[in-house]
Amino acid sequence: MRRSYVPTIAELEAFRACASLGTTIRAADQLGLTQSSVSRSIGQLEDRLGVALFHRIRQRLALSDAGRRFARDAEAILDSLHEAAVRTMAFGGQSDVLSIAVLPTLADRWLIPRLAGFHAAHPHVAIDLAVRLETVDFEAEAFDAAIQRGPAEPGQAGIVRLFDEQLVVVASPSLLDGRAALDDAELAALPLLQQSTRPTLWLKWFQAAGIDPRTTLRGHRFEQFSMVVEAAVAGLGVALVPEVLAERELASGRLIMASPNRIVGEAPYRLAFRPGGEGRPGLREFVRWLTAEAADQPVRSLART
């Protein structure tokens, strides 16, 4: 039989404990094992790898150079196994678990507030939600589906269009000081909040207005739309954001429209899922539910395209 060079979990746990505590006695106490069992695991591991992981100095263990390098990998492996076990136990009572990637602010502002409705209708399906800014590669990541913007990528079997991205200009009432429906020149004279991962939004807004493009790139920069919205609420400037991501603040009056115009983003929000996923009942239920929620998203006439 071919010899395996892959360590066992017991060997990794013994190694980590000895690396941290410096003796097999203390490691055995921590692991609830005998000293001889820990020593045997360390010996088997070193024999398996063909290198000395420790220097023996009297009754102390000190990591060798190879041991220090291996310690980082062993720690990561054990932590990953622990996290996987916790995730599995957390969803142990569900018959179907959907792992879904979603844009961070869309998750916070649009998807999560609606998930209670999905859970009430489909209590047997659990959602494991993670954020991704980039388009998900289903061949590289173990997601079942992704809610994103942008073109379809190879390896995405299903694409469901949800709704257009309608970008609006918003600001705090205090910043506008009673003004409303500002024209482009008035907007350009105010601080323009920038979204750093989409730095050309203001350029597109002002492209037909004859405004010096250099002035439209100045202002505080934020990585996510949620930060841009909060900066606008704080009165730091005017923001150009997807309306769907500022609905709460507009409804409460913390933000108001600073222009009657709006523009449509270059790509709609969409749901993509991996090949073969359409056969899963839980995913089919999620797609039907999400499509219905997206259909309820208001579509307003555009004063600017």
Side-chain angles (χ1 to χ4, degrees):
M1 182 179 293
R2 182 179 176 183
R3 180 176 179 178
S4 173
Y5 296 100
V6 179
T8 67
I9 294 176
E11 290 168 356
L12 291 177
E13 288 179 333
F15 170 75
R16 179 168 67 173
C18 288
S20 172
L21 300 173
T23 72
T24 55
I25 295 175
R26 295 175 64 188
D29 288 341
Q30 182 185 79
L31 297 172
L33 301 171
T34 64
Q35 181 186 4
S36 62
S37 176
V38 171
S39 296
R40 185 166 54 251
S41 291
I42 295 298
Q44 290 170 343
L45 178 60
E46 291 181 319
D47 181 60
R48 189 187 300 277
L49 300 179
V51 295
L53 299 173
F54 294 98
H55 298 301
R56 275 73 174 175
I57 306 172
R58 295 188 177 90
Q59 295 183 341
R60 299 282 302 176
L61 295 175
L63 285 170
S64 65
D65 289 341
R68 278 191 293 272
R69 288 192 295 270
F70 185 68
R72 292 190 294 268
D73 294 332
E75 187 78 24
I77 291 167
L78 290 171
D79 287 346
S80 179
L81 285 172
H82 172 76
E83 291 170 5
V86 169
R87 286 196 300 270
T88 301
M89 289 187 292
F91 294 119
Q94 306 292 335
S95 60
D96 202 352
V97 179
L98 296 180
S99 180
I100 298 173
V102 62
L103 293 163
T105 307
L106 188 67
D108 176 58
R109 299 301 183 97
W110 189 81
L111 179 61
I112 293 175
R114 290 167 166 78
L115 280 179
F118 177 77
H119 178 69
H122 308 285
H124 60 286
V125 181
I127 302 297
D128 185 2
L129 203 64
V131 299
R132 289 293 185 275
L133 286 170
E134 302 298 328
T135 300
V136 167
D137 179 358
F138 289 109
E139 295 178 356
E141 296 192 87
F143 289 112
D144 298 306
I147 304 172
Q148 298 176 317
R149 292 179 58 258
E153 295 288 336
Q156 296 179 340
I159 302 292
V160 179
R161 189 182 182 282
L162 298 176
F163 49 82
D164 284 329
E165 179 188 59
Q166 297 194 35
L167 295 145
V168 296
V169 179
V170 297
S172 70
S174 62
L175 182 70
L176 297 187
D177 194 24
R179 295 177 293 172
L182 305 183
D183 61 30
D184 286 339
E186 291 172 315
L187 284 176
L190 293 171
L192 303 179
L193 301 175
Q194 309 289 331
Q195 215 273 19
S196 59
T197 62
R198 296 178 65 185
T200 63
L201 288 180
W202 280 117
L203 287 176
K204 294 173 183 175
W205 179 272
F206 288 114
Q207 65 183 354
I211 305 292
D212 186 344
R214 293 172 296 181
T215 65
T216 67
L217 297 175
R218 300 169 186 164
H220 299 298
R221 297 172 66 81
F222 303 90
E223 185 179 22
Q224 296 183 8
F225 276 124
S226 59
M227 299 176 181
V228 177
V229 170
E230 290 302 321
V233 170
L236 291 177
V238 291
L240 179 57
V241 298
E243 185 175 13
V244 67
L245 305 183
E247 287 179 339
R248 294 191 306 217
E249 288 75 15
L250 289 168
S252 68
R254 298 172 70 204
L255 290 177
I256 59 175
M257 294 286 195
S259 170
N261 297 327
R262 63 185 69 227
I263 59 175
V264 177
E266 294 178 350
Y269 291 102
R270 61 182 179 80
L271 174 73
F273 50 87
R274 67 171 51 253
E278 62 272 21
R280 290 182 57 185
L283 184 57
R284 289 200 303 269
E285 292 163 353
F286 183 77
V287 171
R288 282 196 295 267
W289 170 82
L290 190 67
T291 304
E293 290 293 320
D296 289 338
Q297 192 63 30
V299 178
R300 298 177 174 87
S301 61
L302 303 175
R304 174 181 299 181
T305 59

